[in-house]
Amino acid sequence: MMSTSPHPQKRTATTCVTCRARKVRCDGRRGVCANCERLGFGCSYDENVGVEVVSGDNNGPSISVPRRRVRQACQNCHARKARCSGSLPNCDRCRAQGLECVYRPGKRSLPLPLPSPTATSPRTAAMPDDVLMGQGPSNDYGTSTSSTASPVSAPAEHVPADPDDALALRVFDNFFRHVHHIAMFSFLHRPSLMERYHAASLDRALVLTLVGITALLTDLGPGMEGYGNRCIEEAVSLCLADLEKPTIPHLQALVIAIKHRMLSKRFSGAFMLHAIASRFATALRLNHENPDLCFLARESRRRLMWSLYMLDSSLSAGQPEFALWADAERQIHVQLPCNERNFDFDLPEPTETLRPPAPGPGGAVAPLPDVLGLMALQIRIHWMRTRILQCTSRMALSSSEDALAMLPSQCAELVAELEAFEARLPPSFRGCEANFRLRSYSPRLGIFIMTHVWWRQCHLDLFRLFLPGLREALGPAALQQLDGHFVMHQRRSCYEHAKAMADMFSQLLALGSSAPVTDLDLPGCAFQCARVLYHGLQTDGGDMGFTQERVQELATVCLRAARQSTPGPASAAIQADIERLLSSGLHLPEIPPAPPGRARSLATGLNNTPYLAQPMPNADHMPAGSVPTPMGAAAMSPMAALSMPMAVTTLSSAAARSQASVGTNTSNAFEEVADGLNFGPELFGAESWLALSHGWADMGQFS
């Protein structure tokens, strides 16, 4: 019979206290079990060996189990996916790098104490806790940061949080997938950028500008466009804070910020910021080759320099006094960029200079070498277009007999250069429907389309000189002095290139959702195309086969292409101009003949009636599509105002007085032209593209 003692004998423990606390299987080996031996823990079956108390079974002894992971990584280590020691108040990594260590409060944790004012930067102190999530301090993105970039009193909503790791990676993916193909953004090398980012050494200003431009041109989610705008402003502040220490990343950030301002219809800011960026480039000697650098660094510097040149070409619009790189052949001593394959895979190979090689015997042109890519073609297109605008501007302002006698030969020379440009293109670069279809899913589709759109636009810029009634055209008296057959041939060529551009937009729309994001250039070219088509309808409808229905259809295609290609306020303003063409048509003013040998007055409107421009609102704060109306044009229709020449600098004496001299009848040293630096309406949107294609008339007086 078995004993039924009320106190049964206690069994020998087969699980050590450490494994029991960890709730893992223990082999029960005496001395030290296999788990504790492997992990380096203290192994005991019957004694307290720890400091941190963890209750044992049956209220037995308690131990301290070493933690293999910290409860939570700090925000800096989490953002960089780095190992965090979890120590308080600062982890080992932040302490070693001199970073501010911030832990996110856990769901069951007590609120963390607020940092002391002496340990908190002005940027961090102005941000709520939820904004601080995912934000690394400025030094975590690079070495060229400054705590003085933002004012201490700046409100929290104007000081954006740095993007966390997930957002930054999504931004990089969208940028290189949808934005990088735009010629002015092609200076970034993706593997190099990602390597710097994962090493926590990518410049913070560059990261912020990438967020800003990507949020504007692609869909990153609700509220991201406003966040991107704040990122751009913060990045510009960082670059200007280090004005005396220019760096390549800061120059890259400035180029992106300039383009963001242009897309946002903030042209005055873009114009001024471009001057600073050009000084950065000169100080860094970007316009000269540096043989001491590796190929990737040299190629990135070349692309950055040429991006600045293309910005300069767009902002100056053929006016040398507004250009900082007007004589590019003598100022920029670097070769053209190579193709994307060589840049992506670090394959050095010499290319060509800005001016293409001269035709051989019989006018034969050498084929384009494989090492030249679409970005090089874009640069040459901008260079040729600048020279075309310089020629047409001179002719429009000074139609002397000698200048008119030289005009046919000058036009023939420029047209020959454009034809040679196209003749050098290999079959895969031709602007045919098959090449559009083959690139329908390629990230390079956008720059491919714009290369051929720009080629057509160059012809429109040149031949518009012979379309009577347009502000870019010669006066009636000057046109009468030219050979009639020559004038008609140029006009026909202008209409044909406009129809071809509209057909190209139709091919773009046929791609559906595959249509790429493009620069502001495409909406501007679409407006010019529609404008020339309506001119042809009113003046040469029978000869060219133009009908109201056909022109309306082609102009609608131009509008749809502009809407689909480029977002932003500036693009919306240009779209509004195309809509007015569709609704009201093109109103051509009656321009009286000008006396031979005298330039037409650019400060005269319809019926040669002088008008005085009222002070315009600041371009940076104008609503999209708004048109500043000069005094004397208030009663005119919108399209009548579109036909009027600009009078930016012809101001009345009352409007020209500054606030310092108001109320006095005496001279004052602070008297100035009110709102003289107003580039918005004159450059893009609301009569903007007209000015871009012809230049700023008589702008030299706005001081």
Side-chain angles (χ1 to χ4, degrees):
M1 184 174 180
M2 298 181 60
S3 173
T4 57
S5 172
H7 302 286
Q9 183 179 3
K10 186 177 182 179
R11 293 182 299 176
T12 303
T14 58
T15 301
C16 72
V17 180
T18 304
C19 290
R20 184 179 295 115
R22 296 179 58 229
K23 297 182 180 180
V24 297
R25 185 183 298 276
C26 181
D27 62 359
R29 191 174 67 185
R30 295 295 166 171
V32 57
C33 70
N35 289 337
C36 293
E37 181 181 24
R38 177 174 57 85
L39 298 174
F41 292 168
C43 185
S44 175
Y45 289 83
D46 57 356
E47 60 181 329
N48 185 353
V49 296
V51 177
E52 182 179 80
V53 177
V54 179
S55 299
D57 291 346
N58 301 323
N59 296 322
S62 58
I63 65 168
S64 173
V65 179
R67 296 188 60 84
R68 303 305 295 172
R69 295 181 181 177
V70 299
R71 293 183 181 274
Q72 182 180 358
C74 72
Q75 292 183 13
N76 288 330
C77 295
H78 177 73
R80 296 295 166 222
K81 296 184 178 180
R83 183 180 297 277
C84 183
S85 65
S87 55
L88 295 174
N90 299 320
C91 72
D92 295 342
R93 177 175 175 271
C94 291
R95 185 165 52 251
Q97 298 186 12
L99 305 177
E100 182 182 0
C101 189
V102 179
Y103 289 92
R104 177 183 175 185
K107 294 181 179 179
R108 301 181 182 179
S109 303
L110 294 176
L112 293 177
L114 293 175
S116 62
T118 58
T120 305
S121 65
R123 282 174 38 80
T124 307
M127 300 180 193
D129 290 341
D130 58 340
V131 175
L132 284 171
M133 291 167 52
Q135 176 194 355
S138 58
N139 287 347
D140 203 26
Y141 281 97
T143 57
S144 58
T145 56
S146 173
S147 61
T148 61
S150 298
V152 176
S153 59
E157 61 268 17
H158 296 305
V159 183
D162 294 338
D164 59 19
D165 200 55
L167 175 59
L169 293 177
R170 186 153 56 97
V171 165
F172 296 154
D173 184 67
N174 273 26
F175 176 83
F176 285 103
R177 185 186 300 271
H178 302 294
V179 182
H180 185 252
H181 66 267
I182 297 175
M184 294 179 191
F185 300 140
S186 296
F187 50 79
L188 291 175
H189 185 250
R190 185 171 190 174
S192 301
L193 182 139
M194 298 308 299
E195 181 181 358
R196 281 292 184 94
Y197 178 77
H198 289 304
S201 60
L202 187 60
D203 185 81
R204 178 167 173 260
L206 180 57
V207 174
L208 292 175
T209 53
L210 288 175
V211 173
I213 197 68
T214 307
L216 179 63
L217 294 177
T218 67
D219 184 11
L220 289 178
M224 286 302 300
E225 185 174 345
Y227 170 72
N229 293 338
R230 296 193 297 274
C231 286
I232 290 290
E233 297 308 312
E234 176 70 2
V236 172
S237 298
L238 290 172
C239 295
L240 297 183
D242 287 337
L243 190 63
E244 298 178 1
K245 299 177 182 178
T247 63
I248 294 294
H250 275 185
L251 180 55
Q252 293 172 336
L254 283 176
V255 169
I256 297 174
I258 292 167
K259 199 62 189 178
H260 186 278
R261 274 167 160 69
M262 295 174 69
L263 291 164
S264 301
K265 204 179 176 186
R266 298 181 56 189
F267 304 103
S268 299
F271 183 78
M272 297 304 177
L273 207 57
H274 171 66
I276 296 176
S278 295
R279 283 300 188 189
F280 270 42
T282 303
L284 294 168
R285 303 285 289 172
L286 253 66
N287 55 328
H288 294 270
E289 297 283 1
N290 190 337
D292 297 331
L293 298 174
C294 67
F295 165 72
L296 285 179
R298 293 199 309 272
E299 179 65 16
S300 179
R301 288 164 61 97
R302 292 185 196 114
R303 288 168 173 255
L304 185 58
M305 182 67 249
W306 288 119
S307 295
L308 267 177
Y309 169 73
M310 287 187 283
L311 283 173
D312 188 71
S313 173
S314 296
L315 289 169
S316 62
Q319 302 299 312
E321 60 267 33
F322 296 106
L324 298 176
W325 304 98
D327 195 356
E329 287 187 274
R330 292 182 173 85
Q331 291 175 287
I332 303 178
H333 309 282
V334 297
Q335 66 183 29
L336 291 177
C338 64
N339 60 38
E340 290 301 312
R341 178 178 178 273
N342 284 37
F343 185 43
D344 289 342
F345 297 107
D346 194 7
L347 303 174
E349 190 173 350
T351 60
E352 292 181 352
T353 58
L354 178 60
R355 181 178 290 275
V365 294
L368 194 73
D370 293 337
V371 70
L372 283 182
L374 290 169
M375 184 178 181
L377 299 182
Q378 289 267 305
I379 295 166
R380 278 188 175 154
I381 282 282
H382 277 77
W383 175 66
M384 289 188 293
R385 183 171 185 265
T386 297
R387 293 164 56 231
I388 289 173
L389 294 179
Q390 290 173 351
C391 173
T392 57
S393 296
R394 288 194 303 267
M395 293 303 306
L397 294 174
S398 178
S399 303
S400 63
E401 293 183 2
D402 293 339
L404 289 174
M406 296 176 61
L407 181 59
S409 61
Q410 291 178 352
C411 288
E413 180 182 350
L414 293 170
V415 170
E417 288 190 21
L418 291 170
E419 297 301 326
F421 176 89
E422 187 188 34
R424 295 191 70 199
L425 296 179
S428 61
F429 278 21
R430 299 280 179 175
C432 60
E433 185 176 357
N435 285 335
F436 272 83
R437 180 172 49 81
L438 291 173
R439 287 176 170 81
S440 56
Y441 294 97
S442 168
R444 308 297 296 166
L445 174 62
I447 191 172
F448 176 80
I449 290 173
M450 282 311 305
T451 300
H452 295 283
V453 169
W454 269 127
W455 187 78
R456 298 286 180 186
Q457 180 62 40
C458 285
H459 289 84
L460 299 189
D461 292 331
L462 179 61
F463 298 143
R464 276 192 323 238
L465 202 60
F466 307 97
L467 303 186
L470 297 187
R471 75 169 59 190
E472 303 93 334
L474 294 170
L479 288 174
Q480 291 174 6
Q481 296 181 44
L482 296 171
D483 180 73
H485 295 287
F486 169 74
V487 172
M488 288 305 301
H489 176 73
Q490 306 300 80
R491 290 175 62 178
R492 280 179 167 274
S493 297
C494 190
Y495 300 143
E496 289 171 358
H497 281 285
K499 291 173 62 177
M501 186 187 294
D503 292 339
M504 198 179 305
F505 292 145
S506 298
Q507 297 174 19
L508 173 63
L509 294 173
L511 301 177
S513 59
S514 300
V517 175
T518 63
D519 198 357
L520 190 58
D521 300 335
L522 190 143
C525 293
F527 171 66
Q528 284 287 7
C529 176
R531 185 166 165 261
V532 169
L533 291 173
Y534 271 102
H535 187 282
L537 174 66
Q538 294 184 219
T539 58
D540 294 271
D543 295 337
M544 294 297 299
F546 285 134
T547 63
Q548 182 70 34
E549 294 76 14
R550 179 57 177 164
V551 170
Q552 197 88 356
E553 177 187 353
L554 294 177
T556 303
V557 167
C558 294
L559 177 61
R560 290 175 55 202
R563 284 176 175 170
Q564 184 169 326
S565 63
T566 310
S571 178
I574 298 175
Q575 295 167 31
D577 289 342
I578 303 177
E579 291 172 354
R580 282 193 287 270
L581 279 173
L582 285 166
S583 61
S584 304
L586 182 66
H587 296 269
L588 298 177
E590 293 293 335
I591 302 179
R598 292 186 58 188
R600 292 180 299 151
S601 172
L602 292 180
T604 56
L606 299 178
N607 301 320
N608 204 26
T609 304
Y611 66 90
L612 300 176
Q614 293 280 32
M616 299 181 189
N618 190 304
D620 293 352
H621 304 288
M622 291 179 59
S626 61
V627 184
T629 306
M631 184 176 66
M636 299 177 187
S637 66
M639 285 311 303
L642 283 179
S643 305
M644 299 173 65
M646 292 178 296
V648 179
T649 61
T650 309
L651 302 173
S652 65
S653 58
R657 292 183 180 180
S658 67
Q659 294 297 324
S661 60
V662 171
T664 66
N665 295 323
T666 60
S667 299
N668 190 287
F670 292 95
E671 188 174 7
E672 61 186 10
V673 176
D675 293 330
L677 293 176
N678 189 356
F679 302 106
E682 292 78 33
L683 194 59
F684 284 99
E687 189 60 6
S688 53
W689 196 259
L690 301 181
L692 179 71
S693 54
H694 174 57
W696 298 328
D698 282 346
M699 293 287 284
Q701 303 176 10
F702 54 52
S703 59

